Amino acid sequence: MLPRTRPRSLEDLIVQVAIIRPGPIVGKAVNPYVRNRQRRLRNPRAPIRYDHPALEPVLRETLGVVLYQEQVLEVAMALAGFTAGQAESLRRAMSRKRSREAMTRFWVQFREGAMARGASSEVAKEVFKKLLGFAAYGFPKSHSAAFAVLAYQSAWLRRYYPAEFTCALFNNQPMGFYPPHVLVNDAKRHGVRILPPDVNRSRARCGVEGRAVRIGFGHVTGIGEEAALAVEREREARGPYRSLADFVRRAPLAREAVENLVVVGAFDDFGLSRREALWQLGLFVPPRRVGRQGVAEASGKQLPLALPVGQDMVALRPMTAWEQMSADYETLGLSPHYHPLGLLRPHLPPEVVTTVDLEDLPDGITIQLAGLVVCRQRPGTAKGITFLLLEDERGLVNVIVFPDLYAEQRLLVRSEPFLVVEGRLQRREGTINVVATRLRTLEEAHRTFLPPPELPAQERGPHHVDGKPDRALAPAAHDFY
């Protein structure tokens, strides 16, 4: 919508918030507004067509269409001569889906009032239909204005303070439309580094380090707010943690919480690989009863470590990139360094394009695109169309699934995390969509690759089988059904 209408002021942004509500869509206001807006962008004095001249003062700011709840009342008063009380009764009857008799009574009154002011019965009927479609699902202007100010402020902060903005979003999860792993990848595409937890650098909450965001202890599974604060206070009181063993002695965490810190790299600076650190942790951490929020209730006292003996010295290979990413997603819900499609890209055939490639491809071309489904929407106003938001390592793209394909491949559309989409590229006024004609799981598509890619044995982990991602790895998409 924004590339088509190009807002230039706060008033324009208020319109953008209101126009994506179901009310303007059902009331058939979207396309007329866009056409009028584009006409005005080309010629600021271009005339706007109103259903009746009496509506011009009411609908001038929205270019001839009803976008705000207040306009329902104003249209009824301007065109049909309703009093303020009668107009409010009409709005309530529409929004509460009153009986047919009540609506018929208002229609007769509306038509007679409009005809008394020179409008034809056809014009009165058309305007009344638009109000009926709009009234139940529209925003008041004040609500739209509040959203518009917030959107502008958010866009300004994201542009000029991207690290601080990303950090604030992380520290206020769960919230918003996009899950944390999508925010991570967007931040990285805009020059913000995402740093993993570190026992001597992280705080309880996420923090900013220059143009980077450091993940806080509280984002690690098994470490609640109380435990995260305790780890931070202990470091402030007695100095940095000097080793894994020193951390275990001083930090009031259960073993499972420490293991989660190990697998996401919080102890990497101590010179041990993550597998070696997990092995050592198993040698000297005594059993502890876990209390609330990951805090160990029985603190005990760490015994001195004996010198290692032969059976304690085990050569362990480092975790692969895929295994590190899997651990990140399972423990943090995001990966600071990797995206599944980025690691799989070398094993995909060249005809599977990236989201960045779409910018240079012509309209109407058939393409294949692989990605992680991060959002599913099937709004009631879309006539059965389903919208998927697909993410690869380079960006995001909207995938449009029409009802016939949805009926044929409903299970994939609704539940599959990794998809290969074959479809037609659609370019419309600065926006790019993919109209799907066929959907496949990444595993199914993998079987058709010629020649089939094989990863070396050492690159295969518990979540990486024959170059294919495990469904359990993917975070859940946001579903809006």
Side-chain angles (χ1 to χ4, degrees), residues 351-354 357-358 361-362 364-370 390 397 399 420-426 433-438 440:
E351 58 265 28
V352 178
V353 300
T354 71
D357 296 331
L358 301 180
L361 295 175
I365 190 174
T366 298
I367 57 98
Q368 290 187 60
L369 185 74
L390 202 69
V397 67
V399 176
V420 174
V421 177
E422 184 174 330
R424 186 180 74 258
L425 184 65
Q426 182 187 80
N433 297 306
V434 176
V435 180
T437 56
R438 183 187 179 193
R440 291 177 290 168

Side-chain angles (χ1 to χ4, degrees), residues 450-467:
L450 295 175
E454 282 292 333
L455 286 178
Q458 65 269 22
E459 291 297 318
R460 300 174 187 168
H463 300 281
H464 194 206
V465 181
D466 293 331

Side-chain angles (χ1 to χ4, degrees), residues 444-457:
E444 178 188 355
H446 180 273
R447 290 194 293 269
T448 68
F449 297 166
L450 295 175
E454 282 292 333
L455 286 178

Side-chain angles (χ1 to χ4, degrees), residues 34 79 83 151 189 216 235 365:
V34 172
L79 182 63
T83 66
R189 288 190 291 269
R235 188 182 64 206
I365 190 174

Side-chain angles (χ1 to χ4, degrees), residues 374-392:
V374 298
C375 179
R376 298 177 172 89
Q377 291 178 285
R378 197 164 187 254
T381 55
K383 300 180 180 179
I385 296 174
T386 301
F387 301 93
L388 305 179
L389 187 61
L390 202 69
E391 182 191 59
D392 66 9

Side-chain angles (χ1 to χ4, degrees), residues 204-226:
R205 309 186 81 197
C206 297
V208 175
E209 299 179 10
R211 199 176 170 84
V213 176
R214 175 76 66 179
I215 302 297
F217 295 126
H219 279 253
V220 180
T221 299
I223 303 180
E225 181 179 0
E226 181 182 343

